[in-house]
Amino acid sequence: MVLAGGSTPKRLYQILAAEYRDKISWDKLLIFFGDERCVAPDDAESNYKMAYDSMLSQVPVARRNIFRLKGEIEPQKAAAEYEATIKSVPGERPIFDLVLLGLGADGHTASLFPGSPVLQETSDLVAVVRVEKLTLSRLTLTLPAFNSYAKDIIFLVAGKGKAEAVQRIFGDEKPPLPAQMIKPDKGKVTYFLDEEAASLLDNETLEKFA
Ligand code: 6PG
């Protein structure tokens, strides 16, 4: 499973660690991350810290089965290490049974931002991203990683702030937003939207996709 960062998934992680704690075979899970900020794992900005505090520290998933993007080391080294880790997982692709992603108000997902050169990446699985509007560099899985290594991908999107991005995505905007470029070769994409995030979708769109 590949976990998402940001703030939206936190409540989901807390629920999985509480109401669903005894319903999940945690010992069978390998945990990866879709992206990470280039900070230490105990930094408030760390996606790993958010997932650890809200779920991973509360459930019996083996520490050896949690694969962190190492935001604390030199980014290119961290990216190369993570790519090697992904490629070392035994078995045929897709190796990620389930990927959880969030959505930014600008249509970004993971650390794949609109207009970023990383959207043109066709082979590397992990990349370093420097985004002017963000102070922190990021490490992110790339489109080849999501589209060739993932089976089922879930977007969890909540809040009025995301409604326009959702409307643009379901309106099949051209050129596509980064989130629209997530198309697993051997899997499917499912959007879980709360009412506010879906509030700009017309009935025809809702009927078509729901
Ligand atoms: C991150 C995430 C990013 C996030 C979106 C939505 O590192 O922040 O990977 O893609 O999912 O920005 O963030 P919120 O859930 O906080 O709205």
Side-chain angles (χ1 to χ4, degrees):
M1 181 175 188
V2 178
L3 298 182
S7 56
T8 305
K10 183 171 181 177
R11 185 74 194 102
L12 169 65
Y13 295 161
Q14 291 167 334
I15 292 169
L16 290 175
E19 288 92 313
Y20 287 83
R21 187 182 190 288
D22 301 331
K23 297 181 171 71
I24 293 172
S25 303
W26 298 98
D27 59 320
K28 292 188 174 63
L29 276 184
L30 299 180
I31 301 287
F32 293 85
F33 290 82
D35 75 328
E36 186 55 278
R37 292 83 182 274
C38 292
V39 293
D42 60 356
D43 187 298
E45 285 295 311
S46 164
N47 287 336
Y48 166 81
K49 176 175 170 49
M50 185 274 285
Y52 184 81
D53 292 348
S54 52
M55 178 171 71
L56 298 175
S57 56
Q58 325 281 326
V59 296
V61 64
R63 293 290 165 272
R64 68 177 177 285
N65 288 344
I66 300 174
F67 301 97
R68 220 172 33 81
L69 275 156
K70 295 179 182 169
E72 71 276 20
I73 69 174
E74 194 279 316
Q76 287 300 348
K77 183 171 186 292
E81 256 186 39
Y82 210 65
E83 175 140 350
T85 299
I86 293 171
K87 288 181 172 174
S88 73
V89 175
E92 291 297 305
R93 286 186 287 180
I95 62 157
F96 298 136
D97 296 300
L98 184 62
V99 173
L100 181 64
L101 285 172
L103 179 70
D106 61 357
H108 82 259
T109 190
S111 288
L112 304 172
F113 290 87
S116 169
V118 73
L119 295 171
Q120 313 309 319
E121 180 55 52
T122 56
S123 58
D124 288 352
L125 303 182
V126 187
V128 181
V129 172
R130 288 181 178 76
V131 184
E132 292 71 49
K133 64 180 177 181
L134 300 176
T135 50
L136 295 169
S137 292
R138 301 270 191 105
L139 293 161
T140 188
L141 294 192
T142 60
L143 289 172
F146 288 121
N147 292 342
S148 305
Y149 280 70
K151 193 168 165 225
D152 291 338
I153 296 181
I154 287 178
F155 280 89
L156 185 66
V157 190
K160 201 129 189 80
K162 307 296 175 70
E164 188 195 334
V166 168
Q167 183 185 39
R168 291 169 67 188
I169 289 165
F170 281 82
D172 202 16
E173 177 161 313
K174 297 276 187 296
L177 295 170
Q180 289 170 261
M181 301 170 80
I182 298 285
K183 294 180 177 170
D185 307 337
K186 296 179 183 170
K188 66 180 185 304
V189 175
T190 305
Y191 275 80
F192 285 83
L193 309 170
D194 73 351
E195 276 188 31
E196 287 189 333
S199 59
L200 295 180
L201 296 180
D202 58 34
N203 288 335
E204 185 186 343
T205 304
L206 283 170
E207 278 154 28
K208 180 179 169 189
F209 288 102

